[in-house]
């Protein structure tokens, strides 16, 4: 039986703005996202029986219909009338419910992988549309790179890669529900100064100005999560104090990332954070 592998990298939000809450309850967002080289790995093997089986070494994620890779496989099978089955093993490396889109990236990798495994030749923009049905971060995870995502996350505009740097990720031992954080955001009551500047960040990236990228980092969900979980604020302040050049919470949190230009600073930041936070990763941006 044919077997293929697909990488599912984590994303970080250099910027996350919510423009407004729509009448239908959805939030209109403006996000600038990029991938980092912390990745899950999916192994996909064709099964002769018409069934989807998920396994993982991680004990703390659902392996049934609730798993986003399962949902991706189900969607593609239904839409393209595929009568074959698949066995998907998820080698999880991305922390779960962390704000790093681990589940969304697994779903995107499953869409890409099954497109290959079953020889469906679905174009990328169609894979993105399928992804949008699974979650608002999935379309970006299908294409990867660096992009501005608008609407509910499905309108993607690829942009240049940010200036290369190190990314320190630290996840406090709490799980944050994305729905909960959005639920507590009073999107239509934000003042002009609460919104980060998307145009400013795009310009900083295009000019390759590391300093301006650090200064332009912003996430409107940060205040909501920091109010709920003071330990996230503490982590942010520690990362700043230890010398990271720019620090921000990713997605709805609780993972905080620090951008660092000089390799010589990394050991101090890593060791300082490890003193009170178990999950710390030093990675590169994927360019
Ligand atoms: P985002 O940044 O897109 O909001 P996240 O990093 O906050 O995502 P995920 O790691 O994607 O969150 O997990 C969110 C929830 O989805 C978890 O509670 C988990 O049980 C469920 N889930 C479903 N499929 C997966 C998967 N393949 N990997 C991880 N979690 C999954």
């Amino acid at each position: 039986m044919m077997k293929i592998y697909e990488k599912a990298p984590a994303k970080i939000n250099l910027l996350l703005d919510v423009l407004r809450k729509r009448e239908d309850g959805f939030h209109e967002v403006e996000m600038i996202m990029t991938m980092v080289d912390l990745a899950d790995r999916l192994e996909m093997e064709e099964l002769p029986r018409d069934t989807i089986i998920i396994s993982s070494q991680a004990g703390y994620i659902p392996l049934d219909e609730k798993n986003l890779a399962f949902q991706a496989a189900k969607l593609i099978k239904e839409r393209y009338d595929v009568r074959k089955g698949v066995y998907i093993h998820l080698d999880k490396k991305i922390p779960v419910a962390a704000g790093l889109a681990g589940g969304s990236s697994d779903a995107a990798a499953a869409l890409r992988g099954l497109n290959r495994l079953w020889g469906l030749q679905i174009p990328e923009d169609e894979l993105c549309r399928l992804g949008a049905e699974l979650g608002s971060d999935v379309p970006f995870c299908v294409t990867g790179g660096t992009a501005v995502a608008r609407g509910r996350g499905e309108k993607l505009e690829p942009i240049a890669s940010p200036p290369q740097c190190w990314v320190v990720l630290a996840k406090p031992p709490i799980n944050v529900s994305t729905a909960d954080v959005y639920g507590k955001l009073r999107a239509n009551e934000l003042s002009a100064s609460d919104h980060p500047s998307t145009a400013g960040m795009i310009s900083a990236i295009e000019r390759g100005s590391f300093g301006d990228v650090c200064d332009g980092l912003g996430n409107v969900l940060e205040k909501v999560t920091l109010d709920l979980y003071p330990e996230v604020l503490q982590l942010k302040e520690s990362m700043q104090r230890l010398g990271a050049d720019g620090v921000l919470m990713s997605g709805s949190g609780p993972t905080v990332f620090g951008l660092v230009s000089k390799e010589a600073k990394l050991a101090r930041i890593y060791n300082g954070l490890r003193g009170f936070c178990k999950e710390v990763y030093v990675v590169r941006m994927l360019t």
Side-chain angles (χ1 to χ4, degrees), residues 11 13 40 60-62 66-69 71 90 92 94-107 137 176 178 250-253:
K11 66 96 219 247
N13 295 89
D40 294 343
Y60 39 81
I61 55 163
K66 289 199 199 74
N67 195 295
L68 280 154
Q71 292 172 20
L90 296 173
K92 290 292 296 180
I94 307 172
V96 174
L100 298 171
S104 305
S105 197
D106 290 351
D137 282 346
V176 172
T178 302
S250 186
S252 52

Side-chain angles (χ1 to χ4, degrees), residues 118-164:
W118 290 329
L120 300 171
Q121 297 185 317
I122 307 168
E124 192 177 68
D125 59 342
E126 181 54 27
L127 282 184
C128 286
R129 274 195 289 277
L130 289 172
E133 296 181 35
L134 300 169
S136 59
D137 282 346
V138 182
F140 168 70
C141 293
V142 168
T143 63
T146 303
V148 187
R150 296 191 172 88
R152 287 172 56 186
E154 81 287 5
K155 292 181 194 137
L156 293 174
E157 177 199 336
I159 59 171
S161 299
Q164 192 46 276

